[in-house]
Amino acid sequence: MALHKSTEPPPLSPTHCYTQIPSQHGEGCVLPFYGHPATLFRCRWTVITTVLLLLLLSALVYVFWPSDPMVEVVRLRLNKIRIHTLPIINVDLSLYVTLKVHNLDVYSMDFTSLDVAVKYRGKRLGHVRSDHEHVRALGSSYMDAEIDLRGISVLSDVVSLLEDLGRGTVPFDTVTEVSGKLGLLFFGFPLKAKLSCEVLVNTHSQTIARQTCYPER
């Protein structure tokens, strides 16, 4: 029986990917063998697709990664001041505070507690607490509270406060602590943030002259 020879060329080995070109000095010059244009197109398309997928994944992580809420004191107004001279000199203050809570995430936000403490020259005077608040995704919510600060009796603090009132500006420090959760469908992520602000109140216009806030860890 006669054997039929195959007309298909044998597969290329790695050494066939290069071709030898003779040089004038008798030594060969090896050049690479370039593949088919369709193969090069597939390789380029694979690289481009991989890069696009990585960029998309990075964008999704950036958008859906939970972040702390932005809490801002939009109003800190002196409601009333009462000075007592007996039995010792002391001062009672009443402050009206308006907070703005901005949700930067694509999740809704539920606060289980929001505590705002007020300090004057490093000493805590009082605080107010809110039990529950809901902020929609990418939304904001305003909260009003009244803080009564009674019995500022340290003489140096009283003198400093009276001097600040005479100048028309009083510096306060606020510390806001937020606890709750971020919700997406049936999932919830715990939330806890702390923000400190240095607030300078203009007592003549009852407005905030300057405010500097920074998060605490």
Side-chain angles (χ1 to χ4, degrees), residues 9-189:
L12 293 176
S13 64
T15 57
H16 287 82
C17 295
Y18 299 88
T19 179
Q20 183 102 7
I21 297 179
S23 66
Q24 296 178 354
H25 302 286
E27 297 180 355
C29 177
V30 179
L31 295 178
F33 176 79
Y34 294 97
H36 194 273
T39 304
L40 295 177
F41 176 78
R42 284 196 298 268
C43 292
R44 292 176 181 175
W45 177 250
T46 302
V47 172
I48 293 174
T49 303
T50 303
V51 172
L52 292 177
L53 288 176
L54 290 176
L55 291 176
L56 178 61
L57 180 61
S58 301
L60 290 176
V61 171
Y62 177 79
V63 171
F64 288 97
W65 190 265
S67 59
D68 294 336
M70 181 183 297
V71 183
E72 181 184 4
V73 180
V74 295
R75 181 179 298 174
L76 185 59
R77 181 166 56 89
L78 292 172
N79 279 345
K80 56 186 177 181
I81 302 174
R82 181 175 298 175
I83 301 176
H84 305 277
T85 57
L86 294 174
I88 58 175
I89 297 177
N90 61 80
V91 179
D92 294 340
L93 291 179
S94 178
L95 298 176
Y96 185 80
V97 183
T98 301
L99 294 175
K100 177 183 178 182
V101 182
H102 183 52
N103 184 7
L104 304 175
D105 293 316
V106 295
Y107 319 102
S108 62
M109 185 183 299
D110 288 292
F111 297 132
T112 54
S113 68
L114 191 149
D115 187 278
V116 182
V118 178
K119 298 180 180 180
Y120 175 73
R121 298 191 179 276
K123 296 182 179 179
R124 178 164 171 160
L125 302 179
H127 73 103
V128 65
R129 183 182 181 92
S130 176
D131 292 332
H132 184 270
E133 188 70 29
H134 176 81
V135 184
R136 60 183 177 83
L138 302 176
S140 300
S141 178
Y142 291 87
M143 284 168 279
D144 299 323
E146 186 175 1
I147 306 176
D148 291 324
L149 312 174
R150 300 182 182 276
I152 304 175
S153 58
V154 179
L155 183 59
S156 60
D157 293 340
V158 173
V159 173
S160 298
L161 179 59
L162 294 178
E163 290 178 350
D164 290 335
L165 291 172
R167 285 192 294 264
T169 55
V170 180
F172 289 103
D173 296 323
T174 63
V175 180
T176 305
E177 296 186 50
V178 178
S179 298
K181 66 178 181 178
L182 297 170
L184 178 65
L185 298 178
F186 301 103
F187 301 96
F189 304 95

Side-chain angles (χ1 to χ4, degrees), residues 170-208:
V170 180
F172 289 103
D173 296 323
T174 63
V175 180
T176 305
E177 296 186 50
V178 178
S179 298
K181 66 178 181 178
L182 297 170
L184 178 65
L185 298 178
F186 301 103
F187 301 96
F189 304 95
L191 168 68
K192 193 170 184 180
K194 188 175 182 180
L195 185 74
S196 295
C197 294
E198 299 174 359
V199 184
L200 185 65
V201 179
N202 187 317
T203 57
H204 298 309
S205 61
Q206 294 292 338
T207 58
I208 295 178

